[in-house]
Amino acid sequence: MRILVNVIMLFVFLSLSSVAKSYNRIQINVGAGIRPPFLLEDNTKGVGPDIIHALNLIQEQFTFQLVPVPIKRRTQSLYEGWVDIIMWDNPNWGWEIESLQHSQPLIHAKDLFVARTDKFQSQEVFDNLTSHSLAMVHGYHYKFVNFETDSITLNQSFDITLVRTEEDSINILLSGRVDIAVASNAALAWHFKKYPQSKNKLLISEKYDTKYMRYFLVPASSPISAKELDELLILADHKGLLAPIYAKYGLDKPTFKRQNPLLSY
């Protein structure tokens, strides 16, 4: 009987300890917009949610909570404190917050031009974009249009259809509604992961529009620093949690490493 009581008391103690630890965690609200494969349409799946889950598994100081944010409201969400940090963004994309830091790159990407092989077979189709109808994501910054985002201004020089996501760009290209879509190598990799038969249907440009990196963006007001995020990313990668996530979505995992290679876990 005494053994049973001791077992019950131990179970209660461990349960209370677990609850206490969860209450002591600092919640970090992570803003992210729907950008397949980073965040899928259901707001619960994608590379982002999987990475956040991995970060929650490896430590007990923070609880990362993903908060879906409309692409148009991403800067507002950080300015007004809806979220603490932003995921999959770049400090050069319209941010005016002072002392905005960023983590190590979450991905290295580039924007490419894509056409259908049943209509075009040569790279020459990408030489004169003004003579073709185009699909691109509303609010995204593209070099070939001088980083203009206003739809009225864009359509003065181009025949453009603006869509919500790069996945939408690829889909309306495949449906025949436009001649050329602009999509990142990450979006294309995810599309081919789901629909490998599409590889023979799409002609991808050898040239790229822009190359860039996506990060966690961290303002000075955040409860977590960019350096702390880097350490957690390195630890998650060291434990082998990140490579399967990137592979799941057909992406190349970046190298996460600390500045001082002599330090180790």
Side-chain angles (χ1 to χ4, degrees):
M1 183 64 179
R2 179 176 296 178
I3 295 176
L4 179 59
V5 170
N6 289 339
V7 170
I8 293 173
M9 290 179 66
L10 178 61
F11 175 77
V12 171
F13 173 77
L14 292 175
S15 299
L16 291 175
S17 298
S18 177
V19 170
K21 287 180 179 179
S22 65
Y23 275 115
N24 288 332
R25 285 190 174 204
I26 301 170
Q27 179 159 322
I28 307 295
N29 291 322
V30 183
I34 294 176
R35 289 188 178 101
F38 307 128
L39 180 62
L40 305 188
E41 293 285 350
D42 67 354
N43 288 332
T44 63
K45 298 177 182 177
V47 192
D50 288 358
I51 289 177
I52 286 173
H53 178 66
L55 296 182
N56 284 330
L57 284 177
I58 61 170
Q59 47 78 42
E60 296 181 343
Q61 183 179 359
F62 303 102
T63 296
F64 294 91
Q65 178 67 46
L66 189 137
V67 179
V69 172
I71 300 298
K72 293 181 181 179
R73 299 285 182 264
R74 65 189 231 288
T75 55
Q76 181 183 2
S77 69
L78 205 55
Y79 293 149
E80 299 186 0
W82 305 354
V83 298
D84 298 306
I85 60 177
I86 290 283
M87 193 175 190
W88 305 114
D89 217 304
N90 187 297
N92 296 319
W93 296 342
W95 293 93
E96 298 178 357
I97 298 178
E98 294 184 6
S99 303
L100 187 66
Q101 299 180 330
H102 63 77
S103 67
Q104 293 191 27
L106 297 171
I107 194 166
H108 298 265
K110 55 186 175 181
D111 290 330
L112 302 165
F113 302 101
V114 191
R116 284 169 45 182
T117 54
D118 62 352
K119 192 172 182 179
F120 303 101
Q121 291 78 44
S122 169
Q123 290 286 321
E124 292 179 359
V125 64
F126 305 121
D127 291 340
N128 186 6
L129 298 176
T130 57
S131 62
H132 299 287
S133 56
L134 307 169
M136 53 191 249
V137 179
H138 183 65
Y140 276 27
H141 299 78
Y142 300 101
K143 184 179 180 180
F144 78 98
V145 293
N146 295 318
F147 306 105
E148 179 62 62
T149 59
D150 179 72
S151 59
I152 296 176
T153 304
L154 287 169
N155 277 292
Q156 290 176 354
S157 303
F158 296 88
D159 179 8
I160 287 177
T161 298
L162 295 175
V163 296
R164 285 197 319 128
T165 68
E166 293 175 307
E167 195 168 68
D168 291 338
S169 292
I170 298 169
N171 288 336
I172 70 168
L173 170 67
L174 288 170
S175 70
R177 291 172 53 192
V178 296
D179 297 327
I180 296 173
V182 188
S184 67
N185 56 339
L188 287 165
W190 171 234
H191 180 80
F192 292 145
K193 186 78 173 179
K194 294 187 297 178
Y195 311 108
Q197 68 276 13
S198 287
K199 287 187 176 182
N200 295 327
K201 298 179 181 180
L202 296 177
L203 175 68
I204 301 173
S205 65
E206 295 173 354
K207 67 177 183 179
Y208 62 85
D209 181 63
T210 48
K211 293 178 74 173
Y212 51 89
M213 292 173 282
R214 292 184 181 273
Y215 312 88
F216 280 111
L217 298 189
V218 185
S221 59
S222 171
I224 189 171
S225 68
K227 183 178 180 180
E228 287 174 312
L229 275 169
D230 284 344
E231 288 299 317
L232 293 180
L233 288 168
I234 293 166
L235 178 57
D237 192 33
H238 178 75
K239 290 180 175 293
L241 298 179
L242 298 187
I245 293 173
Y246 281 84
K248 176 181 175 181
Y249 296 93
L251 305 180
D252 293 328
K253 180 187 70 64
T255 300
F256 297 105
K257 59 183 180 180
R258 60 182 46 83
Q259 294 181 351
N260 185 351
L262 298 178
L263 297 177
S264 60
Y265 289 101

